[in-house]
Amino acid sequence: MMDELLSGLLKSIADMDDIPTVGAYNIRRDGEGMVRRSTETVEITPKTDKPGIDIRVSPYAKADKVHIPVVITKPGVNDLVYNDFFIGEGAEVEIVAGCGIHNSGCETSEHDGIHRFFIGKNAKLRYVEKHYGEGDGTGGRILNPTTIVEMGENSVCEMEMVQIRGVDSTKRETTAKLEKGAKLTVVERLMTHGDQVAHSNMEVRLDGEGASAQIISRSVAKDNSEQVFYPRAVGNAPCHAHVQCDSIIMDGAHIRSIPEIAANHCDAQIVHEAAIGRINNDQLIKLCTLGLSEAEAEAIIIEGFLK
């Protein structure tokens, strides 16, 4: 069932060497469900009215990792999927998602994923999503994720959203609403090269007393690629939020970073910062004096920056 192409993509986007033997999973390939497994605490069921799945984590469950990767291995596939996540009160779970596209043809391959998260009171979720493109075809590799998060009282959510390489165009839309005491951390890391384009819009609304959010974006733009980041934090109650955007620009790339903060309550404390710059010359020179070529030194600096 795991051919070489599938195995390579799953390793890149979900750190999977094979079909898991424990935990729940759902693997989607070329617009169709391929294999699925539920457990006592995690139920995965296909939707009946549209493409996608429902993932339900039982209240107070301490679940194993849940894997829900998507792979596209054929040119011309246009995959739209709706996934809903229901994290029960007091549950703790890590969900590993991601999409990998291999396109060796001349037609565009695209995956648009609409993910909604409903996180119960006192629940804890860690969500990892990696995007990756490869193949020697001229057809585009397009990924447009939409992420909607609703957090209950005192819930905790950590989201790591990574674009590794090879994605020609991406439009990311992320929204989150936080109730009393909820804590959200979003770390976005991506790299673009060639003529690739990446746009990321994010809005976090802190609606409950004591809610907090940290939004971190790190990116590297090479060649003639273009990046636009527009993160917004809105404080509607006594809350704390921090928005940070850091980018390395190279070659003839273009980057716009537009962090925005808004307060609708006198006890909302929100901070933002943004920086765009080239690779630090001192770091480059130091590594080159150790015997590395300039290209090798750049690669090490970029890898460390995006970790």
Side-chain angles (χ1 to χ4, degrees), residues 3-305:
D3 57 69
E4 185 176 349
L5 184 55
L6 175 63
S7 178
L9 288 172
L10 290 179
K11 181 65 175 177
S12 295
I13 64 173
D15 295 323
M16 295 171 62
D17 295 310
D18 206 339
I19 303 297
T21 57
V22 297
Y25 54 80
N26 184 88
I27 300 176
R28 184 177 178 88
R29 182 174 189 176
D30 296 325
E32 301 289 341
M34 192 185 89
V35 61
R36 179 183 307 115
R37 181 178 187 267
S38 296
T39 65
E40 290 185 2
T41 56
V42 180
E43 181 184 23
I44 303 178
T45 55
K47 291 185 179 294
T48 58
D49 58 338
K50 52 191 171 184
I53 54 176
D54 291 332
I55 301 96
R56 300 180 183 274
V57 181
S58 301
Y60 305 104
K62 302 297 186 287
D64 293 315
K65 277 187 181 180
V66 179
H67 291 86
I68 56 162
V70 173
V71 296
I72 295 177
T73 59
K74 299 177 181 178
V77 174
N78 193 330
D79 188 26
L80 172 62
V81 65
Y82 300 82
N83 294 337
D84 289 339
F85 303 79
F86 303 90
I87 314 301
E89 179 178 350
E92 296 183 16
V93 65
E94 179 175 357
I95 297 174
V96 180
C99 180
I101 296 178
H102 179 95
N103 191 348
S104 294
C106 59
E107 298 177 274
T108 293
S109 293
E110 178 175 344
H111 174 73
D112 298 340
I114 300 174
H115 291 181
R116 298 190 302 170
F117 296 84
F118 304 93
I119 305 174
K121 182 178 179 181
N122 296 315
K124 295 181 180 180
L125 167 66
R126 174 170 166 76
Y127 177 73
V128 181
E129 181 180 87
K130 295 182 180 180
H131 288 170
Y132 169 70
E134 65 176 28
D136 56 5
T138 59
R141 295 172 291 270
I142 299 175
L143 290 165
N144 296 322
T146 297
T147 305
I148 301 166
V149 184
E150 296 188 11
M151 299 183 61
E153 286 189 16
N154 298 313
S155 61
V156 177
C157 178
E158 298 179 5
M159 292 192 146
E160 182 180 353
M161 300 155 111
V162 181
Q163 181 170 303
I164 303 170
R165 64 173 290 113
V167 178
D168 295 308
S169 174
T170 184
K171 293 182 179 178
R172 298 168 172 263
E173 300 288 342
T174 305
T175 59
K177 295 182 180 179
L178 282 63
E179 294 186 14
K180 180 179 178 180
K183 297 180 179 180
L184 172 67
T185 302
V186 179
V187 178
E188 184 178 60
R189 297 184 281 122
L190 66 87
M191 181 167 65
T192 55
H193 53 89
D195 295 317
Q196 295 171 352
V197 177
H199 287 206
S200 177
N201 297 314
M202 187 181 304
E203 180 174 279
V204 175
R205 304 185 67 87
L206 299 97
D207 296 331
E209 181 179 356
S212 62
Q214 184 173 26
I215 303 168
I216 300 172
S217 175
R218 288 196 162 202
S219 72
V220 176
K222 297 181 176 182
D223 304 320
N224 295 310
S225 62
E226 175 188 314
Q227 300 178 1
V228 180
F229 299 97
Y230 186 10
R232 302 180 295 283
V234 182
N236 296 318
C239 61
H240 294 82
H242 179 222
V243 181
Q244 178 180 338
C245 301
D246 295 319
S247 299
I248 290 177
I249 187 169
M250 303 173 67
D251 309 313
H254 304 272
I255 301 177
R256 284 196 296 153
S257 185
I258 317 162
E260 178 183 326
I261 56 178
N264 299 314
H265 192 286
C266 63
D267 289 322
Q269 300 180 39
I270 310 176
V271 177
H272 78 76
E273 53 185 307
I276 301 172
R278 58 174 294 170
I279 288 178
N280 186 289
N281 276 336
D282 291 340
Q283 291 179 328
L284 200 61
I285 292 170
K286 184 175 181 179
L287 288 174
C288 288
T289 60
L290 297 176
L292 298 178
S293 68
E294 184 173 338
E296 291 171 333
E298 284 184 351
I300 290 175
I301 292 170
I302 290 170
E303 181 181 1
F305 178 76

